[in-house]
């Protein structure tokens, strides 16, 4: 496959079709979402007509491992899974590791309820992710890649399978890709309904055909990962961003965003706002602008009481912090992680205390059970919180909940246990009065049965 | 010996052919068994154990870990009812209550007539239009406690409350 061939496909499509620009809001900057709702996801030709596979071609012909990694470092891209680890630095670990086989994995397990951007990209621009995985493979010297897609995303299984098939047919995957003497191919693995399998070491166990329990780190996956070989795991959005950065250069990306959080981010907003949906915006936009500007504020006659950022691994952000920028430094102000960009807005009809219980139950159900702080600690938290919700709580319970949370947070084996307490801690920090009201048998939202005569 | 449909059994063994002695193919084979038999019968476990050279204990450990693998046979229609954050905010609690009462089953259970199996999904990626509920391959959105029974009825052989 030469450049001429790509140009030929491009021209033949463009001769018959004009692609329009689509945005869900005028303020959007569509770098990563450029093709979404614009091209037919099943047509590799339409993807190529929009400069598709040019970045992978460029990576193989004009660049080398070092210069790809350098460009990604320069872009300031940080992992979009929520971990926010700088992608260029992660990739550079592989430079010093020797092995006969290396792997790269696209983490498409998108387990956080309320996050759905990975699904949008997988379904609507699958080739951008396949291309990102090819570039990642070249940079990490991997000859084999995996897509780990969650079971729930039925449509995405098909789009990715078709995309891999089409790319293989044109010689972008398989032996001697792009006729440049490099071998790389991809297999798909489907999850089976386990949140913790989104955690990279549990994910690798799962691909190996085992229970998805987390491994202790170190050794880090970059040294010993899938099947004991050096492995790089990246999120769907990260890989889609990589494609655009290599195609258009680091500056096209890092001219957006803030000092520590470069680029655009795709936010998914759901819950009690007039215009929920997904929007690509520069990192650093304020919560207020996003919720009241772009999403047009609360439903008629209602008041927004809190904004949940980062799902079960994030926290409740109270009104006094809605002017703070949404970026990876958000944690320092609010102990809330931006996460993967999922935001759930709530109003006075929702009880934050009951919602905390829902998150703890989620954490317990999804715990892999390997370490006891996560397995037993969460159980204990649930028991205490339940008694508060049922109107049987004692004032000292709140302190006990805080202590327990801090303990679980600091002693769990993996990120699941470390993060399960975040929503509760943030609620205790920002909305303690609600818990106290429950101790006094009152639930503002009228959700909990904590009245005095409930037995 | 369980009574598995010969055709599906042949399909399974043909699929298995590609993965002999490949231990990491366990997940693929379990998915295949779910697709063909709506559960993972003992007989299939034994075959997998032999052909992949993995222990039966390992196989049951894996089956019990994941919510989309099951030892018990699932019903004709599998309901994935979302209890994720956004759907919670759209009152999934009351939808769940309604469905459980109506079908007289809990999560991970199957109705007596084998028509429905109820699963709790943790987000179907359709958070903007919750409550989301998938039945087999059909996605239903904006499900409420008031319209959920009507939706279930479309999958019934005969109504549950008559
Ligand atoms: C409990 C838990 C669940 C996770 N789930 C996901 C997930 O669904 N998708 C994802 O991309 N990363 C998930 N991660 C993060 C991964 O471990 C890993 O850091 C990520 O895939 C790296 O991608 P990035 O560097 O591109 O951000 C999860 C982490 C934890 C602790
Ligand atoms: S939380 Fe229900 S579909 Fe996402």
């Amino acid at each position: 496959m030469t450049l001429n061939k790509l140009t030929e496909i491009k021209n033949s499509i463009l001769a018959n079709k004009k692609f329009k620009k689509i945005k869900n809001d005028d303020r959007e900057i569509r770098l990563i979402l450029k093709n979404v709702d614009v091209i037919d996801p099943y047509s590799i030709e339409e993807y190529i007509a929009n400069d598709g596979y040019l970045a992978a071609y460029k990576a193989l012909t004009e660049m080398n491992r070092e210069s790809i990694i350098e460009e990604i470092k320069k872009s300031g891209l940080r992992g979009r899974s929520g971990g926010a680890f700088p992608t260029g630095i992660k990739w550079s670990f592989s430079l010093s590791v020797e092995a006969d086989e290396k792997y790269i994995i696209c983490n498409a397990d998108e387990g956080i309820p309320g996050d759905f951007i990975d699904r949008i990209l997988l379904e609507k621009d699958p080739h951008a992710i396949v291309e990102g995985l090819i570039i990642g493979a070249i940079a990490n010297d991997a000859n084999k890649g995996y897509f780990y897609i969650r079971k729930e995303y039925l449509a995405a299984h098909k789009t990715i399978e078709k995309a891999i098939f089409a790319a293989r047919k044109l010689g972008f995957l398989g032996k001697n890709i792009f006729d440049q003497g490099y071998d790389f191919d991809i297999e798909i693995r489907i999850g089976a309904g386990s949140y913790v399998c989104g955690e990279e070491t549990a994910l690798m166990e799962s691909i190996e055909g085992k229970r998805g329990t987390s491994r202790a780190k170190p050794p880090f996956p970059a040294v010993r990962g899938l099947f004991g070989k050096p492995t790089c795991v990246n999120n769907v959005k990260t890989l889609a961003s990589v494609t655009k950065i290599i195609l258009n250069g680091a500056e096209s990306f890092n001219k957006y965003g803030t000092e520590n959080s470069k680029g655009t981010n795709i936010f998914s907003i759901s819950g009690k706002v007039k215009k929920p949906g997904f929007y690509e915006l520069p990192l650093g936009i304020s919560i207020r602008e996003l919720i009241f500007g772009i999403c047009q504020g609360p439903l008629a006659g209602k008041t927004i009481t809190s904004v949940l950022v980062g799902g079960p691994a994030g926290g409740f952000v109270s009104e006094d912090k809605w002017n703070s920028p949404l970026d990876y430094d958000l944690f320092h102000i609010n102990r809330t992680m931006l996460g993967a960009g999922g935001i759930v807005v709530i109003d006075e009809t929702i009880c934050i205390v009951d919602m905390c219980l829902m998150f703890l139950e989620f954490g317990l159900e999804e715990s892999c059970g390997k370490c006891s702080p996560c397995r037993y600690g969460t159980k204990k938290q649930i028991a205490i919180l339940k008694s508060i919700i049922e109107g049987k709580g004692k004032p000292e319970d709140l302190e006990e909940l805080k202590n327990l949370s801090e303990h679980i947070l600091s002693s769990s084996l993996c990120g699941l246990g470390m993060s399960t307490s975040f929503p509760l801690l943030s609620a205790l920090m920002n909305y303690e009065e609600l818990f106290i009201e429950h101790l006094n048998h009152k639930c503002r939202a009228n959700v909990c049965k904590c009245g005095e005569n409930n037995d | 010996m369980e009574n598995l449909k010969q055709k599906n059994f042949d399909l399974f063994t043909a699929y298995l052919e590609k993965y002999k002695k490949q231990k990491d193919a366990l997940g693929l084979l379990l998915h295949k068994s779910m697709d063909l038999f709506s559960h993972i019968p003992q007989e299939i476990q034994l075959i997998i154990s032999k052909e992949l050279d993995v222990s039966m204990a390992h196989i049951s450990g894996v089956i019990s870990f994941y919510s989309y693998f099951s030892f018990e046979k699932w019903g004709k229609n599998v309901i994935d009812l979302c209890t994720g954050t956004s759907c919670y905010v759209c009152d999934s609690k009351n939808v769940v209550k309604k469905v459980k009462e109506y079908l007289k089953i809990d999560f991970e259970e199957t109705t007596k007539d084998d028509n429905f199996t109820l699963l709790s999904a943790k987000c179907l990626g359709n958070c903007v239009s919750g409550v989301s509920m998938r039945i087999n391959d059909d996605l239903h959105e904006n499900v409420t406690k008031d319209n959920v029974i009507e939706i279930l009825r479309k999958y019934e052989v005969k109504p549950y409350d008559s």
Side-chain angles (χ1 to χ4, degrees), chain A residues 106-160:
Chain A
C106 172
N107 188 341
D109 197 47
E110 193 162 59
I112 295 190
D115 287 5
F116 53 86
I117 302 304
D118 292 355
R119 178 178 73 78
I120 299 282
L121 288 169
L122 292 161
E123 288 180 13
K124 297 181 184 242
D125 198 13
H127 284 287
I129 313 162
V130 171
E131 188 174 2
L133 200 58
I134 297 175
I135 297 167
I138 301 164
N140 286 280
D141 195 25
N143 297 114
K144 184 152 185 194
Y146 285 90
F147 266 95
Y148 187 87
I149 312 175
R150 70 197 304 242
K151 168 74 180 165
E152 290 83 343
Y153 286 180
L154 303 180
H157 305 169
K158 291 206 189 84
T159 47
I160 292 297

Side-chain angles (χ1 to χ4, degrees), chain A residues 112-116 119 150 153 270 344, chain B residues 81-89 92 121-133 139:
Chain A
I112 295 190
D115 287 5
F116 53 86
R119 178 178 73 78
R150 70 197 304 242
Y153 286 180
S270 58
V344 183
Chain B
L81 182 52
C82 181
T83 55
T85 318
S86 313
C87 291
Y88 167 93
V89 168
S92 64
K122 300 285 163 5
C123 191
L124 299 171
N126 189 51
C127 322
V128 170
S129 325
V131 175
S132 311
M133 176 171 79
L139 182 66

